[in-house]
Amino acid sequence: MSYTDLEDKFDENNVYVRYNVVLEGPAVKPEDDEDVVKILPKDEPFREIALGVLHENNDEVLDNVKKALDDGVSPIDVINKGLMKGIDSVSALYTKGIYFLPDLMLAGDCLMAGVKDCEKVLGHKSETKGTVVSFVAEGDPHDIGKNLILMFLRAGGFEAVDLGRDVPADKVVEAVKEYNPIMLTGTALMTTTMTAFPKVVDAMEKAGLNVPIGCGGGAVRKDYVESFPMSFYGVEAYHTPKLANAILEDKLSWDDVRKKYSDIVGEFVPEYS
Ligand code: B12
């Protein structure tokens, strides 16, 4: 294709502002993309928090998160209604080939910077009720969801052991032997890595261990998780302390959690309706 062909195809109404460079012609801002418009919150302070992530601007995120927390907005709302909507918007632009991998990395860092400030407000309870071990599936580098889980567990009074990302099944088994947790959480965001969950279950069975494993993450579906034993599907990171409480205090098994998930977390969960 010659340069002239390219020039003929150039649509000046569809030029995006990236890396702070405004190309000639009427620029389309990322927040004006039709898919992003559907995702971004309309109300403040959530919109400006989400925009900070979308703009990959750490200072913008930190300023707006601080302002919201100082105004008494709940840290859980800051995360779920603000920061997460930002990363969902980034994802929409990545899927369309408008944002690239570095955008995901920068936006992910901005999100985690905001989460750190929320964590300070949520705090850690001094006495711990029991231990939960969290891991990201083997081969998977996505750890934002797992980090949120750790934060909510610690704020809810649990000892949360972080095995990190890309964790092989035998490491999970070793950790179960070492920490004797009441529950495990596993996260996978790729269709290629969620198959690590049944491998963990196999390894646990072979070692004679039986601990409920909450499995979640972008790529994971409830039907898939329920196709192997010892597991239940986890929907939202902030559900984790409630699930751990039910397992600890009401002695619920993984099978009970599958049946009572909405009751346990105290809200309507479409995936479980
Ligand atoms: C940020 C991001 C990255 C960052 C990750 C940074 C980090 N530290 O995690 C980086 C840049 C590293 C990255 C890399 C890649 N990524 Co990426 N990434 C994303 C993105 C945009 C957001 C993921 C995210 O953090 N979401 C927010 C978190 C909070 O969500 P979550 O973990 O799912 O957790 C939520 C729930 O699932 C739940 N949850 C999770 N676990 C559990 C457990 C329990 C018990 C409970 C109760 C709840 C629960 O809690 C959270 C909500 O409250 C997604 C897009 C998307 N739509 O997901 C793509 C995405 C996951 N990436 C994708 C891909 C393909 C890649 C790459 C392979 C790209 C490449 N070509 O190289 C590489 C991986 C390379 C490798 N080493 O293998 C694809 C996966 C496609 C698929 N289905 O297989 C996605 C979906 C993008 C896309 N649309 O194509 N990525």
Side-chain angles (χ1 to χ4, degrees):
M1 190 185 281
S2 72
Y3 180 73
T4 339
D5 287 340
L6 276 176
E7 242 185 355
D8 288 346
K9 285 184 186 307
F10 179 72
D11 172 7
E12 65 173 22
N13 292 310
N14 199 21
V15 177
Y16 286 79
V17 183
R18 300 193 61 244
Y19 305 120
N20 297 328
V21 177
V22 182
L23 298 175
E24 274 181 55
V28 178
K29 291 184 184 163
E31 56 265 42
D32 294 335
D33 177 274
E34 56 178 348
D35 292 323
V36 172
V37 167
K38 289 183 204 142
I39 298 168
L40 280 178
K42 305 267 177 288
D43 47 333
E44 297 297 1
F46 306 115
R47 185 178 172 82
E48 56 187 3
I49 292 172
L51 280 176
V53 178
L54 179 63
H55 296 157
E56 304 155 34
N57 185 327
N58 221 53
D59 293 342
E60 196 179 326
V61 171
L62 289 178
D63 285 352
N64 291 325
V65 166
K66 183 176 182 318
K67 208 159 27 121
L69 294 172
D70 287 349
D71 288 346
V73 179
S74 118
I76 297 183
D77 282 349
V78 168
I79 294 171
N80 291 332
K81 297 184 184 170
L83 295 166
M84 296 283 283
K85 296 294 172 195
I87 202 83
D88 288 347
S89 311
V90 168
S91 164
L93 294 182
Y94 176 73
T95 310
K96 291 167 88 167
I98 295 164
Y99 269 17
F100 297 98
L101 212 53
D103 299 291
L104 295 191
M105 294 171 87
L106 288 171
D109 287 350
C110 287
L111 182 145
M112 282 317 295
V115 165
K116 278 220 168 74
D117 280 358
C118 295
E119 189 170 13
K120 285 183 206 146
V121 177
L122 280 168
H124 285 205
K125 293 258 165 67
S126 48
E127 263 178 48
T128 58
K129 303 176 189 171
T131 302
V132 177
V133 169
S134 297
F135 66 94
V136 174
E138 184 166 15
D140 204 314
H142 298 90
D143 64 356
I144 296 175
K146 185 261 302 160
N147 292 340
L148 290 178
I149 288 172
L150 294 171
M151 180 190 70
F152 286 123
L153 280 168
R154 287 170 186 155
F158 288 89
E159 183 76 43
V161 177
D162 181 7
L163 296 188
R165 46 191 169 186
D166 184 14
V167 183
D170 57 340
K171 286 267 177 291
V172 180
V173 169
E174 272 170 34
V176 171
K177 288 181 182 160
E178 184 177 348
Y179 297 105
N180 191 22
I182 55 156
M183 171 184 155
L184 292 165
T185 78
T187 300
L189 275 97
M190 290 151 66
T191 37
T192 46
T193 58
M194 64 183 190
T195 49
F197 294 141
K199 289 182 191 147
V200 169
V201 170
D202 259 9
M204 294 272 289
E205 279 176 339
K206 285 200 181 101
L209 300 167
N210 187 355
V211 181
I213 313 177
C215 301
V220 184
R221 298 286 163 266
K222 180 169 172 280
D223 286 358
Y224 177 68
V225 175
E226 295 190 352
S227 68
F228 47 89
M230 217 186 285
S231 61
F232 59 86
Y233 176 57
V235 184
E236 293 288 347
Y238 69 86
H239 291 163
T240 323
K242 292 181 182 167
L243 296 163
N245 264 328
I247 289 167
L248 182 71
E249 283 161 22
D250 305 331
K251 308 268 175 278
L252 298 192
S253 66
W254 52 267
D255 200 29
D256 297 328
V257 177
R258 285 185 186 183
K259 291 180 191 132
K260 299 182 180 167
Y261 192 100
S262 290
D263 290 341
I264 296 169
V265 301
E267 68 185 64
F268 172 72
V269 181
E271 289 84 346
Y272 277 91
S273 63

